Every structure is written in C-alpha cells, then in structure tokens.
C-alpha cells in the first residue's frame, strides 16, 4: 500500500485524493500588495507622460512648442522619475551587498 491518502470511487477502486493547498496568508498578502503597487505605478506613469525641461550635467533640454503642440526637445517626466528610482534602487542594493559581504567576512574570520 502507498502512503498517499486515498478516496474510494463508485466501482470500489481507490484513487489518490487531491488536496488543494492555498498559499500562506503572508504570501497572499504580499502578492496583493505587489498588485496594488503595480497598479499605482501604471497610473502614476500614465499621469506623467508630458515633456519637461531638464538641466543635465553637461547641458540642458528645452521643450519647443508651437500652438500648444511639442515640436522638439525636452524629456518625458516618467523617464526622469524611472531613472531616479532605478538609480536609488541600485545604490541601495549596492550598499546592502557591501554590508552583507563585510558581515560574512567578519563571521568567517571569527
């Protein structure tokens, strides 16, 4: 006999019972939180599609308009916001990685 729980069928044969397992509550909560965050990012992105003037380190871009329409120049605001977010994320990940490496090295040296 096998260790799997079985369920008898109408013809008397035993078949393995299928047990539905839900993800833990914490995992479902985090998935829901991620979904809400993604929706907010999309809404925020769509709300910031306009072009803006921006001063770079080596120069600047200016929006040139005629009759209310953009002709040239400028940078999409969402591109600037995404770039700033990515830069901060990479900086934070680098700092955390350096600290973790130092902690592992200190633990090995003990």
């Amino acid at each position: 006999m096998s260790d799997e729980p079985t369920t008898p069928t109408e013809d008397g044969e035993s078949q393995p019972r299928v047990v539905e397992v839900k993800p833990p509550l914490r995992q479902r909560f985090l998935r829901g939180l991620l979904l809400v965050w993604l929706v907010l990012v999309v809404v925020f992105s769509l709300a910031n599609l306009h072009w803006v003037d921006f001063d770079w380190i080596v120069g600047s871009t200016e929006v040139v308009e005629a009759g209310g329409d953009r002709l040239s120049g400028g940078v999409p605001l969402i591109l600037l916001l995404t770039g700033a977010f990515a830069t901060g994320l990479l900086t934070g990940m680098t700092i955390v990685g350096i600290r973790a490496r130092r902690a592992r090295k200190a633990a090995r040296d003990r």
Side-chain angles (χ1 to χ4, degrees):
M1 263 191 123
S2 69
D3 294 337
E4 296 178 10
T6 58
T7 304
T9 59
E10 293 176 8
D11 58 359
E13 290 184 27
S14 295
Q15 292 185 346
R17 185 172 13 143
V18 177
V19 178
E20 213 175 297
V21 178
K22 293 182 181 178
L25 181 62
R26 180 172 188 246
Q27 187 177 10
R28 286 187 285 163
F29 175 75
L30 290 175
R31 285 181 183 171
L33 195 62
L34 178 63
L35 183 65
V36 169
W37 183 77
L38 287 174
V39 168
L40 286 174
V41 166
V42 169
V43 169
F44 187 72
S45 299
L46 293 174
N48 289 296
L49 289 176
H50 55 282
W51 294 73
V52 295
D53 297 337
F54 188 75
D55 291 324
W56 301 95
I57 295 173
V58 293
S60 64
T61 60
E62 295 180 12
V63 177
V64 178
E65 294 182 359
D69 294 331
R70 184 185 76 82
L71 295 178
S72 66
V75 178
L77 181 57
I78 189 60
L79 184 65
L80 293 175
L81 295 172
T82 303
F85 175 77
T87 302
L89 185 67
L90 287 173
T91 302
M93 289 172 59
T94 301
I95 291 170
V96 167
I98 290 169
R99 287 182 179 174
R101 197 173 314 125
R102 285 181 184 168
R104 282 193 305 268
K105 185 179 179 190
R108 267 195 315 255
D109 292 343
R110 285 187 214 157

